[in-house]
Short mmCIF file of all heavy atoms in Angstrom, two decimals:
data_model
loop_
_atom_site.label_atom_id
_atom_site.label_comp_id
_atom_site.label_asym_id
_atom_site.label_seq_id
_atom_site.Cartn_x
_atom_site.Cartn_y
_atom_site.Cartn_z
N ARG U 899 15.20 -26.57 49.46
CA ARG U 899 14.46 -25.57 50.48
C ARG U 899 13.84 -26.39 51.64
O ARG U 899 13.62 -25.83 52.76
CB ARG U 899 13.35 -24.72 49.81
CG ARG U 899 12.21 -25.64 49.18
CD ARG U 899 11.37 -24.86 48.23
NE ARG U 899 10.36 -25.59 47.54
CZ ARG U 899 10.66 -26.65 46.67
NH1 ARG U 899 11.93 -26.95 46.31
NH2 ARG U 899 9.69 -27.32 46.17
N SER U 900 13.58 -27.66 51.37
CA SER U 900 12.91 -28.48 52.47
C SER U 900 13.96 -28.85 53.56
O SER U 900 13.49 -29.26 54.60
CB SER U 900 12.36 -29.76 51.87
OG SER U 900 13.47 -30.48 51.33
N MET U 901 15.24 -28.63 53.36
CA MET U 901 16.27 -29.07 54.30
C MET U 901 16.28 -28.04 55.53
O MET U 901 15.96 -26.80 55.36
CB MET U 901 17.67 -29.07 53.70
CG MET U 901 17.82 -30.04 52.61
SD MET U 901 18.36 -31.70 53.09
CE MET U 901 20.00 -31.31 53.81
N PRO U 902 16.49 -28.51 56.81
CA PRO U 902 16.60 -27.62 57.92
C PRO U 902 17.72 -26.59 57.77
O PRO U 902 18.58 -26.83 56.75
CB PRO U 902 16.77 -28.41 59.08
CG PRO U 902 17.40 -29.73 58.60
CD PRO U 902 16.80 -29.83 57.14
N GLY U 903 17.83 -25.62 58.44
CA GLY U 903 18.99 -24.61 58.49
C GLY U 903 18.74 -23.55 57.41
O GLY U 903 17.86 -23.65 56.52
N GLU U 904 19.29 -22.27 57.55
CA GLU U 904 19.11 -21.24 56.86
C GLU U 904 19.85 -21.28 55.44
O GLU U 904 20.89 -21.94 55.46
CB GLU U 904 19.29 -19.82 57.55
CG GLU U 904 20.80 -19.93 58.19
CD GLU U 904 21.51 -18.73 58.06
OE1 GLU U 904 21.43 -18.03 56.93
OE2 GLU U 904 22.28 -18.46 59.01
N GLY U 905 19.41 -20.64 54.47
CA GLY U 905 20.01 -20.49 53.18
C GLY U 905 20.85 -19.23 52.97
O GLY U 905 21.13 -18.54 53.89
N ILE U 906 20.99 -18.95 51.68
CA ILE U 906 21.65 -17.56 51.29
C ILE U 906 20.66 -16.58 50.76
O ILE U 906 19.61 -17.07 50.00
CB ILE U 906 22.71 -17.93 50.18
CG1 ILE U 906 23.68 -19.03 50.59
CG2 ILE U 906 23.41 -16.60 49.85
CD1 ILE U 906 24.78 -19.32 49.45
N GLN U 907 20.78 -15.35 51.26
CA GLN U 907 19.89 -14.35 50.58
C GLN U 907 20.70 -13.68 49.59
O GLN U 907 21.80 -13.32 49.68
CB GLN U 907 19.56 -13.20 51.62
CG GLN U 907 18.46 -13.65 52.73
CD GLN U 907 19.01 -14.50 53.67
OE1 GLN U 907 20.26 -14.56 54.14
NE2 GLN U 907 18.31 -15.55 54.21
N TRP U 908 19.99 -13.64 48.36
CA TRP U 908 20.79 -13.17 47.18
C TRP U 908 20.28 -11.76 46.92
O TRP U 908 18.91 -11.51 46.85
CB TRP U 908 20.69 -14.03 45.95
CG TRP U 908 21.41 -15.28 45.97
CD1 TRP U 908 21.04 -16.38 46.59
CD2 TRP U 908 22.75 -15.49 45.69
NE1 TRP U 908 22.01 -17.44 46.54
CE2 TRP U 908 23.09 -16.77 45.97
CE3 TRP U 908 23.68 -14.61 45.10
CZ2 TRP U 908 24.39 -17.28 45.71
CZ3 TRP U 908 24.99 -15.11 44.86
CH2 TRP U 908 25.34 -16.51 45.10
N ASP U 909 21.10 -10.67 46.67
CA ASP U 909 20.56 -9.64 45.77
C ASP U 909 21.66 -9.24 44.70
O ASP U 909 22.66 -8.81 45.13
CB ASP U 909 20.10 -8.35 46.65
CG ASP U 909 21.34 -7.70 47.25
OD1 ASP U 909 22.50 -7.91 46.76
OD2 ASP U 909 21.15 -7.06 48.38
N GLY U 910 21.25 -9.57 43.53
CA GLY U 910 22.24 -9.47 42.41
C GLY U 910 23.42 -10.41 42.68
O GLY U 910 23.08 -11.65 42.91
N HIS U 911 24.63 -9.92 42.65
CA HIS U 911 25.72 -10.85 42.78
C HIS U 911 26.11 -10.97 44.24
O HIS U 911 27.08 -11.69 44.65
CB HIS U 911 26.97 -10.36 42.02
CG HIS U 911 26.53 -10.06 40.58
ND1 HIS U 911 26.22 -11.12 39.80
CD2 HIS U 911 26.60 -8.99 39.85
CE1 HIS U 911 25.94 -10.63 38.60
NE2 HIS U 911 26.17 -9.23 38.54
N PHE U 912 25.36 -10.32 45.21
CA PHE U 912 25.96 -10.17 46.60
C PHE U 912 25.25 -11.39 47.34
O PHE U 912 24.00 -11.40 47.53
CB PHE U 912 25.51 -8.82 47.12
CG PHE U 912 26.00 -8.59 48.51
CD1 PHE U 912 27.35 -8.28 48.66
CD2 PHE U 912 25.20 -8.69 49.64
CE1 PHE U 912 27.92 -8.08 50.08
CE2 PHE U 912 25.65 -8.60 50.85
CZ PHE U 912 27.02 -8.26 51.10
N ALA U 913 26.02 -12.19 47.88
CA ALA U 913 25.33 -13.32 48.74
C ALA U 913 25.54 -13.07 50.26
O ALA U 913 26.66 -12.67 50.63
CB ALA U 913 26.14 -14.65 48.30
N GLN U 914 24.50 -13.09 51.01
CA GLN U 914 24.57 -12.83 52.36
C GLN U 914 24.01 -13.94 53.12
O GLN U 914 23.05 -14.50 52.80
CB GLN U 914 23.56 -11.55 52.59
CG GLN U 914 23.28 -11.23 53.89
CD GLN U 914 24.14 -10.19 54.41
OE1 GLN U 914 24.57 -9.33 53.57
NE2 GLN U 914 24.58 -10.20 55.68
N THR U 915 24.76 -14.36 54.15
CA THR U 915 24.21 -15.29 55.15
C THR U 915 24.46 -14.64 56.63
O THR U 915 25.03 -13.61 56.75
CB THR U 915 25.07 -16.59 55.17
OG1 THR U 915 26.42 -16.27 55.70
CG2 THR U 915 25.21 -17.23 53.83
N SER U 916 23.95 -15.26 57.61
CA SER U 916 23.89 -14.63 58.91
C SER U 916 25.38 -14.54 59.39
O SER U 916 25.63 -13.73 60.27
CB SER U 916 23.18 -15.52 60.03
OG SER U 916 23.91 -16.76 60.11
N PHE U 917 26.28 -15.24 58.72
CA PHE U 917 27.74 -15.32 59.21
C PHE U 917 28.55 -14.30 58.45
O PHE U 917 29.50 -13.73 58.94
CB PHE U 917 28.27 -16.70 59.15
CG PHE U 917 27.91 -17.50 60.36
CD1 PHE U 917 26.83 -18.21 60.37
CD2 PHE U 917 28.66 -17.46 61.51
CE1 PHE U 917 26.37 -18.99 61.39
CE2 PHE U 917 28.33 -18.15 62.75
CZ PHE U 917 27.19 -19.00 62.58
N GLY U 918 28.29 -14.30 57.02
CA GLY U 918 29.29 -13.44 56.30
C GLY U 918 28.65 -13.10 54.94
O GLY U 918 27.44 -13.49 54.67
N TYR U 919 29.41 -12.54 54.10
CA TYR U 919 28.95 -12.01 52.84
C TYR U 919 29.99 -12.28 51.67
O TYR U 919 31.17 -12.36 52.16
CB TYR U 919 28.38 -10.60 52.89
CG TYR U 919 29.42 -9.78 53.55
CD1 TYR U 919 30.52 -9.30 52.82
CD2 TYR U 919 29.30 -9.51 54.82
CE1 TYR U 919 31.50 -8.50 53.54
CE2 TYR U 919 30.23 -8.66 55.60
CZ TYR U 919 31.27 -8.17 54.77
OH TYR U 919 32.24 -7.39 55.40
N TRP U 920 29.45 -12.32 50.56
CA TRP U 920 30.58 -12.60 49.53
C TRP U 920 30.01 -12.16 48.15
O TRP U 920 28.89 -12.46 47.85
CB TRP U 920 30.79 -14.12 49.45
CG TRP U 920 31.56 -14.66 48.25
CD1 TRP U 920 32.68 -14.15 47.75
CD2 TRP U 920 31.15 -15.78 47.42
NE1 TRP U 920 33.06 -14.76 46.56
CE2 TRP U 920 32.23 -15.80 46.30
CE3 TRP U 920 30.24 -16.81 47.45
CZ2 TRP U 920 32.16 -16.79 45.40
CZ3 TRP U 920 30.16 -17.74 46.43
CH2 TRP U 920 31.08 -17.66 45.47
N ASN U 921 30.81 -11.32 47.53
CA ASN U 921 30.28 -10.91 46.16
C ASN U 921 31.36 -11.37 45.06
O ASN U 921 32.35 -10.69 44.85
CB ASN U 921 30.22 -9.43 46.27
CG ASN U 921 29.56 -8.87 44.98
OD1 ASN U 921 29.68 -9.49 43.99
ND2 ASN U 921 28.86 -7.77 45.10
N ALA U 922 31.08 -12.49 44.48
CA ALA U 922 32.12 -13.08 43.60
C ALA U 922 32.32 -12.12 42.43
O ALA U 922 33.52 -11.95 42.09
CB ALA U 922 31.47 -14.41 43.00
N PHE U 923 31.33 -11.45 42.07
CA PHE U 923 31.58 -10.65 40.78
C PHE U 923 32.59 -9.47 41.10
O PHE U 923 33.55 -9.34 40.46
CB PHE U 923 30.21 -10.00 40.44
CG PHE U 923 30.20 -9.31 39.08
CD1 PHE U 923 30.18 -10.03 37.92
CD2 PHE U 923 30.35 -7.93 38.99
CE1 PHE U 923 30.26 -9.37 36.67
CE2 PHE U 923 30.40 -7.25 37.84
CZ PHE U 923 30.38 -7.98 36.59
N ILE U 924 32.40 -8.79 42.27
CA ILE U 924 33.27 -7.60 42.58
C ILE U 924 34.64 -8.15 42.94
O ILE U 924 35.56 -7.70 42.49
CB ILE U 924 32.72 -6.82 43.65
CG1 ILE U 924 31.44 -6.23 43.28
CG2 ILE U 924 33.72 -5.81 44.13
CD1 ILE U 924 30.81 -5.13 44.27
N VAL U 925 34.66 -9.28 43.63
CA VAL U 925 36.01 -9.83 44.02
C VAL U 925 36.79 -10.07 42.73
O VAL U 925 37.95 -9.73 42.58
CB VAL U 925 35.82 -11.18 44.78
CG1 VAL U 925 37.18 -12.06 44.81
CG2 VAL U 925 35.32 -10.96 46.21
N MET U 926 36.17 -10.76 41.68
CA MET U 926 36.80 -11.01 40.45
C MET U 926 37.37 -9.76 39.80
O MET U 926 38.51 -9.57 39.50
CB MET U 926 35.83 -11.87 39.53
CG MET U 926 36.45 -12.07 38.14
SD MET U 926 37.99 -13.14 38.14
CE MET U 926 37.19 -14.75 37.88
#
Side-chain angles (χ1 to χ4, degrees):
Chain U
R899 62 197 178 290
S900 60
M901 296 269 298
E904 47 138 323
I906 304 178
Q907 284 77 33
W908 288 91
D909 69 21
H911 305 300
F912 184 77
Q914 171 93 32
T915 66
S916 65
F917 278 90
Y919 44 83
W920 165 50
N921 186 331
F923 190 78
I924 292 187
V925 164
M926 174 65 95

